C-alpha cells in the first residue's frame, strides 16, 4: 500500500513540475515578445517549437533530484528551500542544454531569469496543492484492514518494522498469534483477536482486506492450507520469505526470471533511470573529451615520437565491471620495454598490496613525466568511455596480473563500471600507498553512489589535475 501511494505521489509531482516549468518558460517568452524588441522576428510558434529543450532539461532535473518521496514530511519552509535548490539546478541545466543545442536566441538572459523565478513560485504553489490533494486522496481511500498472522516471538518486531516503513499510516491492524493465546490483549495499540484455533472463523466474520502472514517455516507445504483459506474468502495474502531474514548489509528485492519468482540480493540496487542518465553524461563527456584529445595529439605526437621510438598510444589489457576484460588506451609515457622491466622493479614498489607505484620510475620518459603529472596520458580513455568499457567516474580498472591475485572481497570494487577518475584520484592518488585503502575508498564510492557524487568528483578532479596533487 505504501509503495502504491508513493508511486501515485511521484506521478502527481512529475506532472505538476513538468507543467510548471513549461508554463514558466512560455510566460517568460511571451513577456519578451510582448514588451521587448524582437530583432530576430521570433513568434510564439517558434517558442513552442523549442519546448522539447525545456522537456529535456526537466528530464535531467527529474532524474537528478529524486527527492519528492519526502514531500509529505517537509513543512512549508522546508518545501520552499527544497524548491529553491531544485531551481538552482534547473537554471544551470536550461542554460547548458540551450547552449549545446545552439538555440540561445530562445533563452535570453531575461527569459532565463523570469523562467527560473516564475518556476520557483509555481512549483512551490504546486507542491503545496499536491499535499492537499494527496491528503484528501488518502482520506477518501480510507485505511485498509490488515490481519497480521504471526507468532509471539515475532509480533513486536513485525509491528515495529511496519511502523518504521510508515505502513501503519494506511492500515488498521488486527493480530492473530498462533502459538500463544493472548486474545484480549493489545500490542502497540492493536488488538490480539485470535489464536490458531479460531484464526479463520474470526477472519470470516470481520473486515479483512489483507492477510499478512509472518512466521518461520521450513517449506511451503505447512502454509498451503492457510493461504488457501484466506484466498477462498477473497482476501489478498502477503507472505514473508525467510531467506530474506538475517541478511544484514545486503539489499533485497523480489524479481521474476521467466515465470519463477526469485529473491535478489546485492550490496546495493541502483536506480535504472539514474544509470541511464550516467551513461548519457558519459557519452556527452566522451565526445567533448575526444575533441580535446584530437587537439592535444597534434602537439604531443611529434615530441613524444622524437624522444623515444614506439607507438603513440599504449594499449593494455585491463579488467572491468565484474571481471570483464577490455583494452585500455593511454598516450605512451614509458619506453617500449616498460612491461619487460617491471618485474625487476617490483622490489621498489611503494604500494602495499596489489598495485605498483614507484617514484622516479626509470621506465618513464621525460615527456611521459609531464603528461602523467598533468593526466594528459589518460585522454585516449575517452574512447573507452564512448565504447562503454568505462565511465567518466568509477573505480580504476586493475591489470590482469593484479586481478588474478585478488581475494573475493576485493572483486566488489569491480561491481561498477571502471572510471577515468574516482574517489582514489581525488584523495591523493599516488600519495596513497596502501591497496586496502584504495579498496575502501572504491567501496565507499559504490555504496554511496549518486549523480551528485559523480559531479563532485569531476569538479575535484579538475582541481587535482591543475594542482598536480599526488601525481607520479
Amino acid at each position: 500500500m505504501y509503495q502504491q501511494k508513493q508511486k501515485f505521489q511521484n506521478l502527481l509531482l512529475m506532472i505538476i513540475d513538468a507543467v510548471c516549468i513549461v508554463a514558466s518558460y512560455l510566460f517568460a517568452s511571451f513577456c519578451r515578445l510582448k514588451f521587448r524588441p524582437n530583432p530576430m522576428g521570433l513568434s510564439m510558434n517558434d517558442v513552442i517549437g523549442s519546448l522539447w529543450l525545456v522537456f529535456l532539461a526537466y528530464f535531467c532535473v527529474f532524474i537528478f533530484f529524486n527527492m519528492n518521496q519526502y514531500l509529505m514530511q517537509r513543512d512549508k519552509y522546508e518545501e520552499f528551500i527544497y524548491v529553491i535548490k531544485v531551481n538552482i539546478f534547473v537554471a544551470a541545466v536550461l542554460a547548458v542544454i540551450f547552449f549545446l543545442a545552439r538555440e540561445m536566441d530562445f533563452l535570453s538572459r531575461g527569459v532565463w531569469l523570469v523562467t527560473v523565478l516564475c518556476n520557483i513560485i509555481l512549483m512551490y504553489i504546486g507542491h503545496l496543492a499536491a499535499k492537499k490533494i494527496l491528503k484528501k486522496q488518502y482520506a477518501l481511500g480510507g485505511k485498509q484492514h490488515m490481519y497480521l498472522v504471526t507468532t509471539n516471538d515475532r509480533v513486536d518486531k513485525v509491528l515495529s518494522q511496519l511502523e518504521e516503513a510508515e505502513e501503519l499510516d494506511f492500515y488498521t491492524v488486527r493480530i492473530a498469534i498462533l502459538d500463544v493465546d493472548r486474545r484480549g490483549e493489545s500490542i502497540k495499540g492493536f488488538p490480539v483477536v485470535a489464536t490458531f484455533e479460531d484464526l479463520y472463523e474470526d477472519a470470516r466474520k470481520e473486515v479483512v482486506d489483507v492477510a499478512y502472514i509472518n512466521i518461520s517455516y521450513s517449506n511451503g507445504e505447512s502454509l498451503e492450507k492457510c493461504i488457501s483459506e484466506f484466498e477462498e474468502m477473497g482476501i489478498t495474502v502477503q507472505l514473508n520469505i525467510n531467506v530474506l531474514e538475517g541478511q544484514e548489509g545486503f539489499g533485497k528485492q523480489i524479481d521474476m526470471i521467466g515465470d519463477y519468482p526469485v529473491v535478489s540480493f546485492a550490496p546495493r540496487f541502483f536506480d535504472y533511470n539514474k544509470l541511464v542518465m550516467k551513461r548519457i553524461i558519459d557519452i556527452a563527456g566522451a565526445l567533448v573529451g575526444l575533441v580535446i584529445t584530437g587537439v592535444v595529439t597534434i602537439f604531443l605526437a611529434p615530441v613524444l615520437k622524437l624522444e623515444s621510438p614506439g607507438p603513440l598510444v599504449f594499449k593494455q589489457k585491463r579488467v572491468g565491471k565484474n571481471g570483464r576484460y577490455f583494452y585500455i588506451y593511454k598516450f605512451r609515457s614509458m619506453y617500449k620495454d616498460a612491461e619487460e622491466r617491471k618485474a625487476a622493479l617490483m622490489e621498489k614498489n611503494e604500494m602495499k598490496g596489489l598495485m605498483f607505484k614507484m617514484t622516479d620510475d626509470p621506465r618513464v620518459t621525460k615527456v611521459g613525466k609531464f603528461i602523467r603529472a598533468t593526466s594528459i596520458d589518460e585522454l585516449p580513455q575517452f574512447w573507452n568511455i564512448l565504447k562503454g568499457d568505462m565511465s567518466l567516474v568509477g573505480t580504476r580498472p586493475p591489470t590482469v596480473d593484479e586481478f588474478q591475485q585478488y581475494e573475493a572481497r576485493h572483486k566488489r570494487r569491480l561491481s561498477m563500471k571502471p572510471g577515468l577518475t574516482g574517489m582514489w584520484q581525488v584523495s591523493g592518488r599516488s600519495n596513497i600507498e596502501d591497496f586496502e585503502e584504495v579498496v575502501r575508498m572504491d567501496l565507499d564510492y559504490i555504496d554511496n553512489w549518486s549523480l551528485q557524487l559523480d559531479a563532485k568528483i569531476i569538479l575535484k578532479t579538475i582541481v587535482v589535475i591543475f594542482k598536480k596533487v599526488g601525481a607520479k
Side-chain angles (χ1 to χ4, degrees), residues 17 65 97 133 157 184 300 382 387 390-391 432 449:
D17 290 351
F65 268 90
I97 287 178
I133 293 171
K157 183 177 180 181
L300 179 63
F382 283 114
K387 287 171 59 184
M390 295 175 60
S391 178
I432 298 171
W449 175 78

Side-chain angles (χ1 to χ4, degrees), residues 206-224:
E206 300 296 333
V207 178
V208 179
D209 298 306
V210 176
Y212 174 29
I213 305 173
N214 191 310
I215 61 176
S216 179
Y217 54 93
S218 57
N219 58 61
E221 294 178 7
S222 60
L223 291 167
E224 186 175 347

